[in-house]
Amino acid sequence: MSDVYAEPTTAAGPTDPATLARYTTLRLGGPAGRLEIATDADEIVRKVREAEAREEAVLVLAGGSNVVIGDQGFPGTVVLVRSRGFRVVAEEGDTVTVRVAAGEPWDDLVAATVERGWSGLECLSGIPGSAGATPIQNVGAYGQEVAETIVAVEAYDRTHHEVVRMAAADCGFSYRGSIFKYSDRWVVLSVDFRLTRSPLSGPVRYAELARALGVEVGDRVPLADARATVRRLRAGKGMVLDAADPDTWSVGSFFTNPVLEREAYELLRERAADLGEPPHWPGAGDVVKVSAAWLIDKAGFGKGYAGPEGVAISGKHTLALTNRSGAASTAALVALAREIRDGVHARFGVPLHPEPVLINCTI
């Protein structure tokens, strides 16, 4: 999907071009000290270097779909990444390696790969933001993660002042994380994905998706069917951006699913004995991933739960915190996030951690 909120919003929303709320899917964020637009990799590097020469802090912002910016904004230079395009850089056997500009809208890329019969990204359909953000977050959904198809990331190293191409093994990919997240050292310029030439999806791993498709877990389906079904499921949860639907004015999932050691999971089971078995999935080693949405709901924060100034949990999914009024403050959203985090910990003893990057704000 394109940068929906990069254009002027309604009268109820921000109108100042330097107000960062215009460039985030939450429609939140104060002013930028300086706002620059970069349309290719060379320009991105140049804009960053110029800001450094002025001894200004730098924030690189693309789709704005996984960031929460404080009401005070960002006092330095904000570089808006607007690079576009992708090209095939290698073909081997039944695989094709595609190099994608950091600013390419992610869902547009997924649509293009499905249309060309390239398998590997289809279950990541409908996710807002840019291609360059996907390795930062190790974006994943419905049984796929970008770490499975990324072979290299081109980035500007602000420490050594050089452009480098990093192999996937050097990116430190983990559950919703990488070496790029929470670090301003690296500026992603492009990403290489190795995809498979096939009219069929990869094996369907996610039970909800398999049920929606009417197949068994492990089956393959036509790429277009996988994409359409994922988008339908995401839309039903308010996870596909829609300028007309305030339930989608969010960063998607606000909290990650907790990953617990076995002992911590058994303690959770004891505290939740009256509620039945918490939804969970086995992780690597002796760890268990638990549903954050379930924890939030069972702690008393259901769909539509309202906070101050019109912020609220989405009416479609308990993991999405929304600026439903379109006129709230970041402080109000953060207050709601804190209330939920503290309530879950008090009820279950499980810590929740935010998934988006927080800029000049904290929970």
Side-chain angles (χ1 to χ4, degrees), residues 9 32 48 74 120-121 168 198 213 232 237 251 256 269 288 313:
T9 59
V48 171
F74 188 79
L121 304 180
S198 172
L213 286 162
R232 177 169 57 81
K237 299 173 182 179
V251 290
T256 57
R269 289 185 66 197
V288 180
I313 293 176

Side-chain angles (χ1 to χ4, degrees), residues 119 122-123 142 144 200-206 209-211 213-222 226:
S119 175
E122 59 280 354
C123 291
Y142 293 100
Q144 286 183 340
L200 299 179
S201 69
V204 176
R205 302 172 184 165
Y206 204 77
L209 178 58
R211 289 193 298 270
L213 286 162
V215 301
E216 299 295 324
V217 171
D219 288 350
R220 298 173 185 264
V221 299

Side-chain angles (χ1 to χ4, degrees), residues 237 247 296-297 300-308 310-322 324 336 340:
K237 299 173 182 179
D247 256 347
I296 292 168
D297 181 65
F301 304 100
K303 296 174 183 176
Y305 183 89
V311 300
I313 293 176
S314 168
K316 301 180 178 71
H317 200 290
T318 53
L319 269 183
L321 307 188
T322 68
R324 185 175 294 174
L336 176 60
I340 293 167

